[in-house]
Amino acid sequence: MSLVKLTIKGISYSQTQNGAYALILNEVDGERKLPIVIGAFEAQSIAIALEKEIKPPRPLTHDLFKSFADRFDIVVKQVIIHKLVDGVFYSSIICERDKIEEIIDARTSDAIALALRFNAPIFTYKNILDKAGIYLNTNPTDLENQNADDEGILSTPETFGLDNEGKPGDIYVSMSLSELHEALEKAVQDEDYEKAAKIRDEISKRES
């Protein structure tokens, strides 16, 4: 299976559900986005790694791992998002020490946080991107006019994780497949990547 290189587009956060973030990965040689729901700690760690000027007073867990690896001459060569099951992404960290390569299983959020610190490329398989990637039709003029302050915050969802009455709950379970596909299309058009990821995961569960 062919590998597709990904870059980090940014992180979207929910104002209504504590701890809910969406990491947006972008296809290098294409227009598809791959939203992955991650936790608050991992989102913070990735955001700090993206902002080179921010240096926490004490090492975060991923910084400690980097220091540990450097001390023992371990290099992270690349990260591969290799599996998607029931909306959960599985990743591998490809490491090397003394010219011996090792593959370590990792949560995708941890793997990407480490990839940033090692300047290692991030890949996924084409079939995963075909299944979980979403297209965003963006007008180039809109990109030119985009406020630079908005970069990194790709959406500000207001109803993620709420039902029609504004109460917590997963409304997608009760929706039909056709309704889910319509909702997914609308979420993509609104650039609400967090909601799109949630809907896509529900679709993936039913179609797998």
Side-chain angles (χ1 to χ4, degrees):
M1 290 183 287
S2 59
L3 288 172
V4 179
K5 190 173 183 179
L6 303 169
T7 58
I8 296 175
K9 177 68 176 174
I11 297 173
S12 164
Y13 61 87
S14 171
Q15 295 179 338
T16 58
Q17 184 174 340
N18 292 333
Y21 290 80
L23 172 67
I24 314 301
L25 302 177
N26 196 70
E27 183 181 15
V28 170
D29 296 320
E31 299 179 354
R32 286 176 291 185
K33 307 290 190 295
L34 190 65
I36 300 175
V37 177
I38 62 176
F41 172 77
E42 292 77 12
Q44 179 191 52
S45 181
I46 291 170
I48 288 175
L50 288 170
E51 297 290 339
K52 304 296 183 182
E53 288 120 15
I54 299 178
K55 297 291 182 184
R58 300 294 296 159
L60 300 177
T61 302
H62 298 111
D63 298 320
L64 176 61
F65 186 98
K66 174 68 163 57
S67 299
F68 186 91
D70 288 343
R71 184 67 59 89
F72 290 94
D73 297 322
I74 300 169
V75 178
V76 171
K77 305 292 289 184
Q78 62 183 4
V79 163
I80 300 177
I81 304 171
H82 63 85
K83 186 168 65 172
L84 172 62
V85 178
D86 292 336
V88 178
F89 291 90
Y90 294 78
S91 294
S92 296
I93 301 173
I94 314 302
C95 304
E96 186 177 275
R97 181 174 184 267
D98 295 333
K99 297 183 179 180
I100 298 175
E101 189 174 276
E102 299 285 349
I103 301 175
I104 300 174
D105 182 45
R107 296 188 306 169
T108 297
S109 54
D110 289 329
I112 291 174
L114 291 174
L116 285 170
R117 287 162 170 79
F118 283 88
N119 293 316
I122 303 166
F123 297 93
T124 191
Y125 289 110
K126 182 179 180 298
N127 66 322
I128 292 178
L129 196 57
D130 290 341
K131 183 178 182 180
I134 58 178
Y135 282 97
L136 175 63
N137 296 322
T138 305
N139 189 323
T141 305
D142 294 338
L143 289 177
E144 292 175 5
N145 296 332
Q146 184 178 18
N147 189 327
D149 292 337
D150 291 338
E151 288 191 12
I153 302 176
L154 301 182
S155 65
T156 52
E158 298 178 354
T159 58
F160 179 75
L162 303 179
D163 61 18
N164 293 331
E165 297 180 352
K167 300 175 182 177
D170 190 350
I171 64 172
Y172 307 121
V173 174
S174 61
M175 295 172 66
S176 67
L177 264 178
S178 60
E179 289 173 334
L180 286 171
H181 282 288
E182 289 178 7
L184 176 59
E185 184 177 347
K186 185 178 186 306
V188 171
Q189 290 174 352
D190 294 341
E191 296 187 37
D192 191 340
Y193 289 99
E194 189 178 17
K195 184 183 291 185
K198 189 78 172 178
I199 299 170
R200 181 211 57 206
D201 292 345
E202 179 63 29
I203 293 173
S204 176
K205 289 179 184 178
R206 299 192 194 184
E207 294 183 342
S208 61

